[in-house]
Amino acid sequence: MAVMVTFLNLIIIFSVVSTGKSLSLNYYEKSCHDLEYIVLKTVTDATARDKTVPAALLRMHFHDCFVRGCDASVLLNSKGKNKAEKDGPPNISLHAFYVIDEAKKALEAKCPGVVSCADILALAARDAVYLSGGPKWNVPKGRKDGRTSKASETRQLPAPTFNISQLQQSFSQRALSVEDLVALSGGHTLGFSHCSSFQNRIQNFNATHDVDPSLHQSFAAKLKSICPLKNKAKNAGTTMDPSATNFDNTYYKLILQQKGLFSSDQALLDSPKTKQLVSKFAASQKAFFDAFAKSMIKMSSINGGQEVRKDCRKIN
């Protein structure tokens, strides 16, 4: 299944409808002046109740942008025979959609029919990073919400099993550079992963090795104890890094110690350019924060929507 998904990912050509030429920092200045305050308050309140919210919102935004651009298609519910993106295999574990709903409800009360769900998600992802101790950046606004959402298209998402050439191809199809790839991968400093995303590295890795030889032995033993072949606990898994609610550069330090969780994390050492960037970000949190903010602005400007939804879960 993983091999098939990987292959399909490589043959799907992602077309960027627009690279955000219509976006601007002051898009809502006259029409919804309190937008950023309302979104920040909503994300802050939700994070106070549930510390997993920031990681969920950041992942949701990535998964939105990598399929049809940042058009909030990931928020749409399945309807009738159409299975939406949120029900595609890589998105089953997405959560905290209610945070976007709450922000939208508050914004509809203040400035009805004005702010797109895509813009709310882009702002919420930025706030999630900032509230976790990460960088803050100005989010260009003016995205429109898409009217199409298909679970089958989630095959376009980069998989945790990807090697470096597959990762580079996936990002370059979205006009994202090698530096964007390494910087945005640092989003893995937040959150939790189920065993299924890294099981390939700790059991039956290949014909020669049971365990991925690029995985540190003690770390592999720890992962095996969390994810045994039999009698695995329901929802078993591990945090992406030991400081999973803090946005920091620990992720890169762990990769250099052969303790990256996914194959796709460890793969960042498999080309000279990406390896050099991993070392740079491991040595300097400031360099990582600056690069991450720049790459997030670039990624979140891939847009392809058509409308401003009244309800983020369904088209108008």
Side-chain angles (χ1 to χ4, degrees), residues 91-131:
N91 287 341
I92 296 290
S93 57
L94 289 181
H95 67 104
F97 292 103
Y98 70 89
V99 181
I100 306 301
D101 293 336
E102 286 176 6
K104 179 65 170 170
K105 188 179 174 185
L107 287 164
E108 285 299 302
K110 186 88 178 177
C111 22
V114 171
V115 182
S116 69
C117 301
D119 276 342
I120 296 170
L121 182 51
L123 287 164
R126 186 271 310 270
D127 294 341
V129 170
Y130 175 65
L131 291 170

Side-chain angles (χ1 to χ4, degrees), residues 81 107 288 297:
K81 288 184 178 175
L107 287 164
F288 165 47
I297 292 167

Side-chain angles (χ1 to χ4, degrees), residues 135 137 177-185 247 252 277 280-281 284-299:
W137 60 92
S177 68
V178 169
E179 180 153 5
D180 296 323
L181 160 62
V182 180
L184 292 172
S185 294
F247 195 94
Y252 300 102
L277 287 164
K280 178 183 171 183
F281 297 155
S284 168
Q285 187 157 280
K286 184 186 184 303
F288 165 47
F289 280 13
D290 290 348
F292 187 82
K294 192 173 134 199
S295 295
M296 282 293 284
I297 292 167
K298 196 168 160 187
M299 180 194 75

Side-chain angles (χ1 to χ4, degrees), residues 4-311:
M4 184 182 168
V5 169
T6 299
F7 176 68
L8 284 164
N9 191 87
L10 293 175
I11 60 170
I12 291 169
I13 301 301
F14 177 92
S15 63
V16 176
V17 183
S18 139
T19 50
K21 291 182 181 67
S22 57
L23 304 186
S24 72
L25 293 174
N26 57 1
Y27 189 85
Y28 296 108
E29 204 164 323
K30 293 188 172 68
S31 57
C32 198
H33 187 69
D34 292 335
L35 160 67
E36 300 213 15
Y37 168 76
I38 290 169
V39 175
L40 176 60
K41 185 179 185 314
T42 307
V43 176
T44 304
D45 292 348
T47 302
R49 296 192 302 267
D50 178 359
K51 66 182 189 307
T52 70
V53 160
L57 293 173
L58 181 57
R59 185 164 177 249
M60 194 188 296
H61 183 50
F62 277 137
H63 284 218
D64 182 36
C65 294
F66 266 66
V67 180
R68 293 182 172 267
C70 314
D71 66 345
S73 53
V74 75
L75 304 178
L76 288 170
N77 285 344
S78 296
K79 187 179 179 187
K81 288 184 178 175
N82 182 59
K83 201 173 169 190
E85 282 172 41
K86 62 164 64 165
D87 293 321
N91 287 341
I92 296 290
S93 57
L94 289 181
H95 67 104
F97 292 103
Y98 70 89
V99 181
I100 306 301
D101 293 336
E102 286 176 6
K104 179 65 170 170
K105 188 179 174 185
L107 287 164
E108 285 299 302
K110 186 88 178 177
C111 22
V114 171
V115 182
S116 69
C117 301
D119 276 342
I120 296 170
L121 182 51
L123 287 164
R126 186 271 310 270
D127 294 341
V129 170
Y130 175 65
L131 291 170
S132 304
K136 190 170 188 181
W137 60 92
N138 290 320
V139 176
K141 295 165 284 288
R143 294 164 193 79
K144 292 289 187 281
D145 298 323
R147 294 178 55 82
T148 304
S149 184
K150 296 182 177 179
S152 59
E153 293 182 352
T154 60
R155 294 188 190 115
Q156 296 172 31
L157 290 164
T161 52
F162 270 18
N163 63 33
I164 193 62
S165 61
Q166 290 168 323
L167 287 169
Q168 287 174 321
Q169 179 157 3
S170 178
F171 276 67
S172 69
Q173 283 174 1
R174 293 151 179 86
L176 296 170
S177 68
V178 169
E179 180 153 5
D180 296 323
L181 160 62
V182 180
L184 292 172
S185 294
H188 285 170
T189 180
L190 293 180
F192 176 91
S193 170
H194 293 102
C195 296
S196 57
S197 294
F198 55 86
Q199 198 96 37
N200 66 302
R201 303 188 73 199
I202 55 172
Q203 269 119 14
N204 304 318
F205 178 67
N206 61 22
T208 324
H209 300 94
D210 184 43
V211 174
D212 183 345
S214 72
L215 198 56
H216 192 285
Q217 277 187 313
S218 66
F219 187 51
K222 179 190 164 193
L223 295 179
K224 272 187 170 247
S225 69
I226 295 167
C227 305
L229 267 178
K230 293 178 180 171
N231 303 322
K232 199 169 23 242
K234 190 176 185 289
N235 294 325
T238 187
T239 53
M240 298 297 289
D241 76 25
S243 57
T245 56
N246 294 333
F247 195 94
D248 55 28
N249 66 337
T250 305
Y251 168 81
Y252 300 102
K253 295 175 184 177
L254 290 171
I255 291 175
L256 293 175
Q257 295 166 27
Q258 294 186 290
K259 293 178 181 177
L261 191 57
F262 298 158
S263 299
S264 59
D265 297 326
Q266 208 57 47
L268 297 179
L269 297 186
D270 293 344
S271 92
K273 174 70 174 160
T274 55
K275 186 175 183 177
Q276 181 252 322
L277 287 164
V278 169
S279 299
K280 178 183 171 183
F281 297 155
S284 168
Q285 187 157 280
K286 184 186 184 303
F288 165 47
F289 280 13
D290 290 348
F292 187 82
K294 192 173 134 199
S295 295
M296 282 293 284
I297 292 167
K298 196 168 160 187
M299 180 194 75
S300 74
S301 298
I302 307 168
N303 188 27
Q306 298 84 38
E307 66 182 19
V308 173
R309 274 180 225 145
K310 295 182 180 70
D311 177 339

